[in-house]
Amino acid sequence: MNLQMDESVAEQYRSPSQRMRVITESWAKQALFCPYCGAPHINRFENNRPVADFFCPECAEEYELKSKKTTIRNKINGGAYTAMIERIEAVNNPNFFFLQYGKADLQVKNLILVPKHFFSAGVIEKRRPLAASARRAGWTGCNILLRDIPQEGRIFLVRDGQIRKTKEVLSMVRGTVFLREYRLDARGWILDVLRCVNKIEGRDFTLKQMYAFETQLAEKHPENHHIKDKIRQQLQLLRDKGILEFNGRGHYRKR
């Protein structure tokens, strides 16, 4: 993977934002492989879609690319709110690449993949509609709350200019595909418990530490009146899927 982007592909454009869109998308088409099947390249959709930009010609996975020159932090602009929610709830919702580049040297600094099965309505923040005086009055955008996505769903392909090996990326992605087996509501429980696990410092933790999140989980899932039972159930599932290890007597370890 070559981290240098080519400025010459956008010579015909004057708008800085349009130039960077063309430059980053051109780089992605040339440099990115499919993190699911390992195909060496992904293709650009011929016509712009509300959310997806690219697709894999081998396995048909779809991808959206979000690029910025500043550090990738907790929130990322996600475009139109309604379109985003519709795609997340659809069968063919896209995976996301979040790219940070250097403004001076046009090199890729960080590139994060968030597989589509880590998305839910809970990680999409609705923004205020544009004012009546705006050109697109009433249009409502959204933010993607990257901080609310478990770390297992934030997979670095490039970190601080260092490229991760393709086989490592493929292994990490395939280790999370089991989430697709579950409906959105069930998947939401799994991800909520996994977020709580990630909040505990260190690799080892106990069931008692997980019970400390009971109130927080009850607020998110008011229809469930057996939160501790649900916590144990999700921990067992995460153990069975290889995300956690169970060491007996209420003790667990993160892998």
Side-chain angles (χ1 to χ4, degrees):
M1 181 188 294
N2 182 1
L3 301 184
Q4 182 64 54
M5 295 188 289
D6 184 5
E7 188 175 13
S8 68
V9 299
E11 288 179 349
Q12 67 190 75
Y13 299 95
R14 293 186 177 181
S15 166
S17 60
Q18 195 169 29
R19 283 177 56 83
M20 287 313 306
R21 178 184 60 80
V22 171
I23 291 170
T24 54
E25 289 181 357
S26 175
W27 175 86
K29 187 177 184 300
Q30 296 297 321
L32 290 183
F33 62 92
C34 176
Y36 284 89
C37 70
H41 296 287
I42 56 176
N43 292 344
R44 183 85 167 87
F45 276 113
E46 291 184 6
N47 299 313
N48 290 333
R49 294 195 173 192
V51 177
D53 292 322
F54 299 90
F55 68 96
C56 173
E58 300 295 331
C59 68
E61 284 291 335
E62 296 185 10
Y63 299 93
E64 166 77 354
L65 176 67
K66 297 290 185 183
S67 304
K68 56 189 302 186
K69 61 179 180 290
T70 54
T71 304
I72 299 172
R73 297 189 184 277
N74 294 329
K75 291 185 181 183
I76 297 176
N77 190 331
Y81 175 77
T82 300
M84 180 67 73
I85 294 297
E86 287 177 351
R87 287 304 300 274
I88 285 175
E89 295 177 347
V91 175
N92 63 333
N93 61 310
N95 305 278
F96 276 79
F97 286 116
F98 298 111
L99 184 155
Q100 181 208 354
Y101 59 88
K103 182 179 180 180
D105 59 10
L106 287 183
Q107 283 203 349
V108 175
K109 307 301 182 183
N110 290 286
L111 179 64
I112 302 172
L113 166 72
V114 177
K116 63 184 183 181
H117 39 272
F118 281 93
F119 279 91
S120 66
V123 301
I124 305 301
E125 179 183 62
K126 188 175 184 179
R127 298 166 63 182
R128 292 183 179 180
L130 294 182
S133 58
R135 184 170 58 86
R136 293 188 294 169
W139 183 87
T140 303
C142 69
N143 293 317
I144 299 170
L145 302 178
L146 201 60
R147 63 171 183 245
D148 288 345
I149 296 174
Q151 63 185 26
E152 290 81 0
R154 289 172 277 157
I155 301 172
F156 279 87
L157 280 71
V158 179
R159 189 166 200 165
D160 297 329
Q162 299 299 308
I163 302 170
R164 173 169 272 159
K165 293 180 179 178
T166 300
K167 64 179 181 180
E168 292 181 5
V169 174
L170 291 172
S171 177
M172 295 178 74
V173 172
R174 290 167 181 169
T176 67
V177 172
F178 74 89
L179 287 167
R180 296 189 183 186
E181 302 170 12
Y182 301 90
R183 297 179 309 180
L184 271 177
D185 54 347
R187 191 190 310 162
W189 258 108
I190 300 169
L191 296 178
D192 286 342
V193 169
L194 190 53
R195 285 188 202 99
C196 293
V197 169
N198 288 335
K199 289 179 181 179
I200 300 174
E201 294 185 3
R203 290 186 62 196
D204 297 306
F205 65 97
T206 67
L207 187 58
K208 182 178 180 180
Q209 287 177 287
M210 288 299 299
Y211 284 162
F213 296 101
E214 181 179 8
T215 300
Q216 177 182 322
L217 291 169
E219 291 175 354
K220 296 196 70 173
H221 302 274
E223 76 288 348
N224 191 295
H225 303 292
H226 305 281
I227 302 298
K228 288 183 178 179
D229 292 341
K230 199 68 175 180
I231 290 173
R232 291 195 300 271
Q233 180 190 63
Q234 303 311 306
L235 290 176
Q236 180 177 335
L237 186 152
L238 292 169
R239 178 204 66 185
D240 293 344
K241 298 301 182 180
I243 304 297
L244 302 175
E245 296 177 6
F246 177 60
N247 295 326
R249 296 186 178 183
H251 287 76
Y252 296 84
R253 171 169 288 185
K254 308 171 191 177
R255 288 191 173 176

